[in-house]
Amino acid sequence: MPAFPRLLAPLDLGFTSLRNRFVMGAMHTRLETLDRPNERLAAFYGRRAQGEAGLILTGGYAPNPDGIFEPGGPLLCDAGQLAEHRAITAAVHQAGSKIAMQIVHTGRYAKIEGCVAPSGKRARINPVTPRVLGTDEVWTTIRDFAHTAMLAREGGYDGVEIMGSEGYLINQFTAPFTNQRTDEFGGSFENRIRFALEVIKAVRQAVGADFIIIYRISAVDLVDGGMNGEEVAALARRVEQAGANIINTGIGWHESVVPTMAAPVPRAAWAFAIRNVKNAVGIPVIASNRINTPEGAEALLESGVADMVSMARPMLADPDFARKTRLGRPQDINTCIACNQACLDRIFTERTATCLVNPRAGREIEFSDQPASQPKRIAVVGGGPAGMAFAINASERGHKVTLFEAAAALGGQLNLAKLVPGKNEFNEMLRYFKTRLAALQVDQRLGHAPTAAQLVDGGYDEIIVATGVRPRIPGFPGVDHPKVMSYIDVLSGRKRPGPRVAIIGAGGIGFDVAEFLVGERKESESPERFMQVWAVDTSLATPGGLLAHGGQGEPPAREVTMLQRKDESLGKRLGKSTGWILKAKLKRAGVRMVQGATYDAVDEQGLHFTEGGQRKLLAVDSVILCAGQESERSLYDELMARGAKVRLVGGADVAAELDALRAIDQATRLAVAL
Ligand code: NAP
Ligand code: SF4
């Protein structure tokens, strides 16, 4: 019997079947804005089909110009556009998977002038106030959904997913919060769900019986004035009766003030809301959000929460997720660490999606994975993300790599990141790197820092310096006072700060350290604590599934003040999809934030600084330096002085705002080019 019998079981839908229970969830990638978009999209989805995803859902296409995400966003309402879709569906079918196109009308989330909605209430996350749809226009929109579904069928898709969650138009109709209409589409529950049901019925009529219709339901709205659990279950039953074959689940709206998929959300935290849908219907239900391992996915199916699992980000991270599961090699999966840095954060800032742990995602046509024409002997110095990524990719192409790491263990800065509670997904990244290095039999020299002379004498064809970064030590008086410590001292547990703390620097690491010190990171330890902190009603009795208390954490463990020199609000440059979570938690813990500071000195009294021209004293027990990084290049400089052929990657190359995303991308591209 296979290790994951439920995940690997085919699903028979009568007129068609899926080869397993893995669904690649829909994700807006903006790939259509890059060069060679058709080829790119076909390669992106085709690669996931080669990795044996049972069913692939495309990013959303609007059924009419009012429903697009933004100017130029995906839209399918004209048969003239079908060539691009046929390229996608052919690539997926050739590899043995099924594919459904998502149809999404964004309603009041559309970033376009004159966006439309059931009522005129503006969304918190969109500056544009919507125009109210007339009753006739609602019926026209229903016909537009049906027309687009029919085109999808002509384009070779096996089905469509009707997007009824995340706060998009259909969801705006179902929730009283955004639907104050007085016609047949507003008021009573029956009227509010009419739009959703009429869309399903019209689509079914347009596409016939032998075409998959998936309806994505909002299993819990997580907005005040959303639906309660009873209404969600009743809607699910009616969706089944209206003709859907499968129900997918969505969690929260884009404007919810509860994190739904970032790393602090415990794995499979939303099972209670998905089970509510599953218990209501007889058709298959798909679980989604924070499922990133085969073990966790199998457990959800085994416990009867759902029949299939949706993974969008995990299949960005590893297109072979399903295939590796079938082969019984879960340890080889490049796990999504729920950082959102290269996918959602880039999408929310008008860029295209890729993946921090897999730079090939969405860039399949840019990477040639041909074996090297001339295998080389390569020394890599530094076993952090850049060094490991280079070593793996170069070895995969046939180069003979020796990887040197001065510390006793591989990982570099990842070993610090994983110590921050709530960031333990970084352990998965390390596990993946180490498993690959071992499988490729890369010669690993741990606890070994070669000198420039040894490297030059070693006769290597290439020397790659990935020696990373060292913390920046600012130059103010008293920086060597015993009160002062680095973030490395704190996160590694070498030093324990006192009860009153000042943090110098408010980048990603400053925020991480602040959370660590106030004890706010513990909520990811258990779903129960997470729900309490974020005021989620797991009984689903309240509208939108939110409790009135608004969130209850434990009293902060320390009194923390964060400072920066820039005169802008702290945390402004953090990731769009995660920065607000960090800021909300620190606000709740009473963390004070000071911008525009000049550091004068540290002494027995504490931190002396100037703010707005006034000298001030912060009476603290500890001052923690989170003042960014500087490149560690001494080895590189020595090698250059000896005239060696040497290349820099990662933080050793550019330390400013260093992150693993840039380090891995740069190292991978270099390895593929050599
Ligand atoms: P960073 O983001 O570059 O922030 C460095 C901080 O130090 C800034 O607040 C800067 O503010 C301050 N600073 C710079 N030079 C200084 C000096 N000479 N004296 C005093 N203060 C100084 O670096 P980081 O916080 O070390 O983070 C490194 C990278 O890790 C980030 O770019 C991020 O991508 C990644 N990361 C991200 C997250 C996340 O998004 N959740 C978490 C952890 C790490 P002023 O110049 O205004 O004083
Ligand atoms: Fe997952 Fe981060 Fe990759 Fe997004 S960028 S798919 S969250 S690992």
Side-chain angles (χ1 to χ4, degrees):
M1 178 149 120
F4 301 98
R6 292 165 190 82
L7 281 172
L8 297 171
L11 180 70
D12 185 3
L13 292 169
F15 58 91
T16 187
S17 66
L18 308 176
R19 60 175 154 184
N20 56 41
R21 305 303 176 98
F22 288 101
V23 179
M24 180 186 172
M27 184 184 263
H28 185 42
T29 57
R30 215 177 265 118
L31 291 182
E32 66 281 354
T33 63
L34 295 178
D35 61 325
R36 297 147 73 195
N38 298 356
E39 199 187 329
R40 197 175 275 278
L41 283 162
F44 174 68
Y45 291 117
R47 182 65 188 85
R48 272 77 199 159
Q50 285 162 16
E52 303 182 7
L55 176 64
I56 291 173
L57 306 178
T58 67
Y61 287 81
N64 62 35
D66 287 342
I68 56 177
F69 288 94
E70 60 200 354
L75 167 73
L76 177 60
C77 55
D78 179 352
Q81 295 168 272
L82 289 180
E84 71 187 75
H85 292 275
R86 290 194 179 112
I88 294 171
T89 53
V92 169
H93 289 151
Q94 205 170 20
S97 295
K98 300 279 159 58
I99 181 162
M101 192 191 85
Q102 188 188 72
I103 311 178
V104 60
H105 189 304
T106 53
R108 68 188 201 130
Y109 283 172
K111 298 267 183 340
I112 52 171
E113 275 313 316
C115 66
V116 297
S119 299
K121 204 167 180 177
R122 186 177 71 78
R124 185 175 64 79
I125 55 170
N126 191 356
V128 188
T129 301
R131 178 177 69 76
V132 179
L133 278 170
T135 306
D136 285 354
E137 289 178 298
V138 179
W139 286 108
T140 307
T141 307
I142 291 166
R143 287 192 289 276
D144 291 340
F145 267 90
H147 180 237
T148 296
M150 195 194 69
L151 291 176
R153 186 175 176 130
E154 280 178 37
Y157 290 99
D158 303 281
V160 288
E161 176 173 79
I162 298 168
M163 182 48 150
S165 70
E166 325 295 309
Y168 290 120
L169 184 70
I170 295 179
N171 213 178
Q172 292 160 25
F173 270 92
T174 57
F177 162 57
T178 38
N179 184 345
Q180 282 107 39
R181 300 178 71 90
T182 51
D183 62 0
E184 68 261 42
F185 293 103
S188 65
F189 173 69
E190 200 61 33
N191 282 357
R192 282 185 279 114
I193 65 170
R194 190 181 308 282
F195 180 59
L197 301 181
E198 291 296 338
V199 167
I200 298 168
K201 285 191 238 168
V203 168
R204 176 57 76 205
Q205 203 171 10
V207 297
D210 57 347
F211 193 68
I212 304 170
I213 297 180
I214 304 160
Y215 180 81
R216 189 159 190 197
I217 199 167
S218 180
V220 55
D221 285 331
L222 300 177
V223 288
D224 283 327
M227 290 205 289
N228 64 30
E230 219 173 281
E231 289 177 318
V232 171
L235 171 59
R237 277 189 290 274
R238 300 290 295 278
V239 162
E240 179 174 13
Q241 288 161 12
N245 307 93
I246 296 174
I247 296 186
N248 192 3
T249 49
I251 306 294
W253 291 28
H254 286 313
E255 64 200 275
S256 298
V257 288
V258 178
T260 57
M261 57 163 74
V265 181
R267 289 179 180 177
W270 306 107
F272 70 94
I274 298 162
R275 190 188 285 279
N276 177 48
V277 174
K278 166 79 184 150
N279 288 345
V281 296
I283 52 176
V285 169
I286 307 174
S288 71
N289 283 52
R290 282 301 274 131
I291 305 164
N292 64 345
T293 63
E295 293 83 356
E298 180 76 11
L300 278 173
L301 302 194
E302 189 178 3
S303 59
V305 167
D307 306 278
M308 307 170 78
V309 287
S310 166
M311 300 189 208
R313 294 175 303 165
M315 290 206 193
L316 223 58
D318 194 335
D320 292 316
F321 194 115
R323 193 173 63 81
K324 289 175 183 173
T325 304
R326 179 178 63 76
L327 295 172
R329 289 172 24 210
Q331 72 281 4
D332 289 349
I333 291 174
N334 194 2
T335 306
C336 164
I337 58 169
C339 64
N340 290 353
Q341 271 176 257
C343 52
L344 297 188
D345 284 348
R346 288 177 58 91
I347 288 303
F348 291 154
T349 48
E350 278 82 53
R351 293 173 290 168
T352 53
T354 179
C355 173
L356 181 141
V357 301
N358 175 22
R360 289 174 172 79
R363 310 289 184 270
E364 285 75 11
I365 61 172
E366 293 169 29
F367 282 88
S368 153
D369 287 325
Q370 295 298 315
S373 52
Q374 215 180 354
K376 295 177 174 177
R377 281 188 69 231
I378 304 178
V380 181
V381 188
M388 291 191 289
F390 179 89
I392 289 168
N393 283 282
S395 299
E396 281 172 347
R397 298 190 55 238
H399 295 301
K400 183 96 189 82
V401 177
T402 304
L403 176 60
F404 296 96
E405 166 56 49
L410 291 171
Q413 296 270 313
L414 295 180
N415 289 320
L416 283 177
K418 72 176 190 190
L419 292 175
V420 179
K423 287 208 160 177
N424 43 15
E425 292 287 4
F426 277 95
N427 283 308
E428 300 287 358
M429 197 167 156
L430 270 169
R431 184 260 311 145
Y432 171 74
F433 276 135
K434 288 179 184 173
T435 310
R436 281 306 290 152
L437 288 167
L440 291 160
Q441 298 181 332
V442 171
D443 180 7
Q444 299 174 42
R445 311 272 177 94
L446 303 184
H448 194 120
T451 61
Q454 285 167 338
L455 287 166
V456 171
D457 292 347
Y460 296 102
D461 301 313
E462 299 276 352
I463 301 170
I464 311 297
V465 173
T467 40
V469 293
R470 54 172 183 269
R472 176 183 291 121
I473 311 292
F476 54 77
V479 78
D480 51 356
H481 190 278
K483 277 180 192 281
V484 180
M485 46 189 89
S486 83
Y487 68 88
I488 298 179
D489 294 330
V490 175
L491 292 177
S492 64
R494 279 203 300 260
K495 291 187 183 169
R496 194 175 158 73
R500 299 166 308 163
V501 177
I503 297 177
I504 288 188
I509 290 178
F511 270 83
D512 272 351
V513 168
E515 265 199 294
F516 181 64
L517 292 177
V518 294
E520 269 287 321
R521 275 292 173 97
K522 290 197 199 111
E523 91 261 22
S524 46
E525 286 166 11
S526 81
E528 293 72 28
R529 192 179 144 84
F530 175 86
M531 299 303 164
Q532 189 194 8
V533 167
W534 291 99
V536 178
D537 171 20
T538 53
S539 77
L540 296 170
T542 53
L546 290 179
L547 294 168
H549 67 59
Q552 287 168 343
E554 280 165 22
R558 286 183 182 78
E559 195 183 299
V560 173
T561 305
M562 298 178 71
L563 303 100
Q564 73 178 19
R565 298 171 305 172
K566 282 188 285 296
D567 198 6
E568 66 179 31
S569 63
L570 276 72
K572 199 175 164 193
R573 296 162 199 236
L574 292 173
K576 191 111 174 160
S577 68
T578 51
W580 67 271
I581 306 174
L582 292 163
K583 285 187 267 183
K585 288 201 277 191
L586 296 188
K587 190 172 169 207
R588 199 163 44 214
V591 172
R592 231 186 107 206
M593 310 234 172
V594 178
Q595 63 193 59
T598 308
Y599 310 115
D600 299 323
V602 174
D603 61 19
E604 271 313 299
Q605 292 179 294
L607 172 67
H608 300 265
F609 68 101
T610 302
E611 183 190 8
Q614 289 192 330
R615 285 180 68 92
K616 296 184 177 174
L617 168 67
L618 203 53
V620 289
D621 310 294
S622 311
V623 176
I624 301 167
L625 301 178
C626 302
Q629 341 283 331
E630 281 165 359
S631 296
E632 178 51 71
R633 282 202 196 160
S634 42
L635 177 67
Y636 174 79
D637 292 341
E638 261 187 75
L639 285 164
M640 290 299 280
R642 288 170 180 266
K645 187 174 173 197
V646 53
R647 300 170 199 257
L648 275 174
V649 287
D653 181 24
V654 182
E657 301 199 340
L658 164 76
D659 58 31
L661 166 61
R662 185 155 49 76
I664 294 172
D665 182 75
Q666 186 191 22
T668 305
R669 286 177 189 273
L670 178 60
V672 169
L674 278 187

